Amino acid sequence: MSLLLAEPHPIPLHAIAAMIAIILGGIQLYMKKGGAIHKLLGRIWVGLMLIVSISSFFIHEIKLWGAYSPIHLLSIWTIFSLGLAIYFVRVGNIKRHKQVMIALYGFALILTGFFTFMPGRVMHQIAFG
């Protein structure tokens, strides 16, 4: 963890929020839906995802378009999708809410999480030495 905490800000915040979101999201996927705990954990998860997405705009390790890269497009998609998922649950479209949340978990956390383990990245160093 000391390698991660030694990284420039906001990388530690970004990574820690993502790791907590992966764990919490996994719990959410397997627990009973619709209850008070699900709603509370869902709100926390959305907050974590906003932290991950917004903090990404201040991380510029891969520069393809000025200071930005395709990963920043994913951050925009994530923020938009979070709003869409909230909209769907509020209007009672639980099926679409569930679809968006599963897509967010899979693409914005799991798929991109694999890329953080590429050689040369800090998470690769933490995991593999």
Side-chain angles (χ1 to χ4, degrees):
M1 251 341 225
S2 61
L3 282 175
L4 178 60
L5 296 176
E7 287 293 306
H9 291 288
I11 293 172
L13 171 68
H14 177 81
I16 291 167
M19 288 185 275
I20 295 169
I22 287 170
I23 294 166
L24 190 59
I27 292 168
Q28 282 288 80
L29 289 174
Y30 290 101
M31 69 181 295
K32 184 178 183 285
K33 308 298 186 276
I37 303 259
H38 176 79
K39 292 175 185 179
L40 173 64
L41 294 180
R43 287 180 176 108
I44 294 168
W45 190 81
V46 167
L48 288 165
M49 292 300 291
L50 286 171
I51 290 169
V52 172
S53 298
I54 293 168
S55 66
S56 78
F57 291 108
F58 301 96
I59 300 171
H60 307 288
E61 289 183 351
I62 303 169
K63 299 176 182 179
L64 295 178
W65 308 310
Y68 300 101
S69 70
I71 199 74
H72 294 103
L73 293 175
L74 179 63
S75 296
I76 293 168
W77 174 81
T78 298
I79 293 167
F80 173 77
S81 295
L82 287 168
L84 202 57
I86 292 167
Y87 168 77
F88 284 137
V89 78
R90 290 200 175 175
V91 298
N93 191 340
I94 303 305
K95 180 181 177 183
R96 293 289 295 169
H97 168 76
K98 181 179 179 179
Q99 290 171 338
V100 173
M101 290 305 225
I102 290 171
L104 277 165
Y105 186 78
F107 291 115
L109 285 175
I110 302 303
L111 181 64
T112 59
F114 283 119
F115 288 109
T116 67
F117 290 100
M118 292 174 51
R121 312 262 338 247
V122 70
M123 293 308 289
H124 182 272
Q125 292 172 331
I126 291 168
F128 305 111

